[in-house]
Amino acid sequence: MKKIIAIFLTAIMAMSCLAINASADHYIDRDTVIESNTPIAPGEVITFKGMKLAQVSYYPGSFDIYEVHYDGVSSSGYDYFEDIELPSGFVIKDLGSISTGHMTVDGSPQTAEAEIDFDVEHCVFTGWKVTSFQNTSQYIQIVLEATWEEDPENPFPEPAEPTLIEIIIEYLKEAANFLMGILAQIVAKIMEYLEIIPTE
């Protein structure tokens, strides 16, 4: 009886995995729009009908933490990777996959195979999000941006606590700005009282 239950549970789990994978794929007809910020995971399939072709661009994305902005970079120096003239039923690529279309190096278009090699310091890649989607009678164009989260095995260093000198300097700056604002108002009132019109 236990074996039967185990087989039954295994079958249910396998079917649920298939359902999850199927629901992640995207079928695009003539009027379909994929909204901006829609997450798309590597391995998801984009399927569309008709004679048109597809084009997908992959950008590095970024991550913000501790009020610091960390941009993704390509170790090869590419600004983005792109696959063009894709057939219906194409698969969204992962980091490490080979891009077969255009890239840019210092703003110059290139046409060569290259590995999608984006990286953000102290982060792990979590997938892509849509930043632009066009569905016309001639083509489908999707622009994807990498999404990241902090790497638990190599986390961001905690921001350093400000020193006493830095705190005093910051307070002095704020006090100086406050006093300058008051001084500007006083000067404006005196000029108004004396009916002095400032010249441009």
Side-chain angles (χ1 to χ4, degrees):
M1 184 67 177
K2 288 182 180 177
K3 287 184 178 179
I4 294 172
I5 293 172
I7 292 169
F8 180 71
L9 290 174
T10 303
I12 290 175
M13 289 177 66
M15 289 173 64
S16 66
C17 287
L18 288 173
I20 290 169
N21 288 337
S23 66
D25 295 342
H26 303 267
Y27 180 77
I28 298 172
D29 61 22
R30 182 164 47 179
D31 301 318
T32 302
V33 174
I34 300 179
E35 299 291 339
S36 290
N37 295 318
T38 298
I40 295 187
E44 290 187 21
V45 179
I46 307 291
T47 306
F48 59 93
K49 60 182 180 179
M51 299 300 293
K52 58 187 174 182
L53 295 173
Q55 174 178 322
V56 181
S57 302
Y58 299 91
Y59 282 81
S62 61
F63 192 82
D64 292 301
I65 191 166
Y66 304 138
E67 300 181 0
V68 180
H69 188 72
Y70 292 83
D71 290 314
V73 294
S74 160
S75 57
S76 303
Y78 297 120
D79 295 329
Y80 69 95
F81 297 86
E82 190 167 73
D83 288 331
I84 59 175
E85 299 186 357
L86 292 168
S88 71
F90 64 89
V91 180
I92 296 299
K93 293 189 172 176
D94 201 347
L95 295 189
S97 300
I98 299 299
S99 166
T100 57
H102 296 283
M103 299 134 278
T104 62
V105 183
D106 301 327
S108 303
Q110 305 291 310
T111 328
E113 291 189 349
E115 180 181 325
I116 302 174
D117 61 351
F118 297 132
D119 183 52
V120 177
E121 187 180 9
H122 301 291
C123 284
V124 292
F125 173 71
T126 59
W128 306 98
K129 68 177 179 181
V130 176
T131 59
S132 175
F133 177 82
Q134 294 182 46
N135 183 1
T136 75
S137 57
Q138 287 82 33
Y139 64 89
I140 290 171
Q141 185 179 59
I142 304 174
V143 178
L144 299 174
E145 185 176 279
T147 55
W148 307 88
E149 66 181 22
E150 186 175 9
D151 184 353
E153 296 181 3
N154 182 24
F156 288 91
E158 292 285 338
E161 291 292 328
T163 64
L164 182 59
I165 297 295
E166 289 172 333
I167 293 172
I168 291 171
I169 289 172
E170 196 59 37
Y171 276 122
L172 289 174
K173 284 181 181 176
E174 290 181 12
N177 289 335
F178 178 72
L179 291 173
M180 289 298 291
I182 292 175
L183 182 60
Q185 291 178 15
I186 292 171
V187 170
K189 290 291 183 184
I190 291 172
M191 291 177 68
E192 182 183 332
Y193 178 76
L194 298 174
E195 297 182 351
I196 299 173
I197 300 172
T199 58
E200 294 184 3

